[in-house]
Amino acid sequence: MAIDRWLLEQHQSGKHPSTLRFYTWSPSAISLGYHQRQYPEYWQNLTWQGHKLDLVRRPTGGRAVLHQGDLTYAVITSGITGNRLQVYEKICEFLIQGWRSLGVELRYGTEGRGYIHNPNCFGTATSADLVLPDGTKIIGSAQLRRGEIILQHGSIRLQPDTELFAQVFGAKSFTTGQLPQNLSVENIIAVLVAAASDYFDVQIELQPLSSSEWEEILVYQP
């Protein structure tokens, strides 16, 4: 997630265009919201499939997210007007359209600020999150704003391991059985990129980070 923050600052300084980014996690990890100071001590020593879970802090707010069996998206852009919720909805629309083309209808959550008492981001679904028709939360998102520059990123739950989820949060993980099971992560990314290109009316170009950019990120201290 240091890359997301770095891209935000690069866009803010005019050195990098708007960016749409997708990534998965290896090893699996728990990301903490920027202001989340309290969490179980045992989270620092969790393992899964022989690997220690990383514990990282997001530049955005919200509660803890288990990054296993998920796909993370990030949008770094500017020029989107409106209040916080309106910006969420304007950015999330490409996710709604993309999943609709895959036969999955998503809508916004309806819960209020009770999430602040829940250490698990996917334990509640606010109006900034996307849920299935039965209310199961599939996409949780968070924002960081620097003036008109916006970083919005979120976790798309695809195939979470229920036992690991219970180990981390002490609660049962909701199933994602309503999602198509025959799609690869690559297929999903391709559909969402096409939806973003159509919705934002832009030509999206694949542009991997250069070796010099990687060097900057490796020494970057947000």
Side-chain angles (χ1 to χ4, degrees), residues 108-157:
Y108 293 99
T110 57
E111 297 186 40
R113 292 186 58 80
Y115 76 89
I116 63 174
H117 303 296
N118 192 328
N120 167 24
C121 172
F122 279 86
T124 57
T126 72
S127 53
D129 302 316
L130 296 175
V131 302
L132 293 168
D134 67 356
T136 301
K137 181 173 174 177
I138 291 297
I139 305 177
S141 300
Q143 275 183 16
L144 172 63
R145 301 181 71 164
R146 290 289 179 264
E148 67 167 10
I149 312 300
I150 298 165
L151 160 62
Q152 178 172 313
H153 56 193
S155 172
I156 306 172
R157 299 182 74 194

Side-chain angles (χ1 to χ4, degrees), residues 21-218:
R21 180 172 177 249
F22 294 96
Y23 53 99
T24 55
W25 297 71
S26 181
S28 299
I30 300 171
S31 70
L32 304 172
Y34 184 77
H35 298 289
Q36 185 177 1
R37 301 304 171 192
Q38 295 184 344
Y39 58 88
E41 186 176 346
Y42 71 87
W43 282 7
Q44 300 179 48
N45 301 299
L46 289 171
T47 61
W48 187 67
Q49 294 188 343
H51 298 282
K52 187 175 183 295
L53 266 67
D54 282 341
L55 191 62
V56 302
R57 188 167 297 280
R58 297 191 304 273
T60 52
R63 313 309 288 168
V65 177
L66 173 61
H67 297 283
Q68 175 280 318
D70 73 326
L71 172 66
T72 303
Y73 82 91
V75 173
I76 299 94
T77 191
S78 54
I80 298 180
T81 59
N83 60 33
R84 174 178 167 275
L85 184 56
Q86 289 170 331
V87 172
Y88 266 117
E89 292 180 349
K90 289 178 180 179
I91 293 177
C92 282
E93 186 61 31
F94 88 93
L95 297 169
I96 294 174
Q97 291 187 13
W99 279 104
R100 180 177 294 135
S101 72
L102 294 171
V104 178
E105 289 293 333
L106 298 178
R107 59 177 175 80
Y108 293 99
T110 57
E111 297 186 40
R113 292 186 58 80
Y115 76 89
I116 63 174
H117 303 296
N118 192 328
N120 167 24
C121 172
F122 279 86
T124 57
T126 72
S127 53
D129 302 316
L130 296 175
V131 302
L132 293 168
D134 67 356
T136 301
K137 181 173 174 177
I138 291 297
I139 305 177
S141 300
Q143 275 183 16
L144 172 63
R145 301 181 71 164
R146 290 289 179 264
E148 67 167 10
I149 312 300
I150 298 165
L151 160 62
Q152 178 172 313
H153 56 193
S155 172
I156 306 172
R157 299 182 74 194
L158 299 177
Q159 295 180 320
D161 183 272
T162 55
E163 291 185 6
L164 178 61
F165 190 92
Q167 185 181 357
V168 173
F169 295 113
K172 181 180 178 182
S173 173
F174 294 104
T175 63
T176 55
Q178 295 182 52
L179 298 183
Q181 299 300 303
N182 59 341
L183 292 173
S184 67
V185 170
E186 291 75 18
N187 291 147
I188 294 170
I189 291 173
V191 168
L192 295 180
V193 168
S197 178
D198 178 65
Y199 173 68
F200 293 112
D201 193 23
V202 294
Q203 182 68 36
I204 297 177
E205 298 181 0
L206 179 62
Q207 187 177 9
L209 293 168
S210 67
S211 57
S212 61
E213 288 174 328
W214 274 115
E215 289 176 4
E216 283 187 42
I217 293 167
L218 288 173

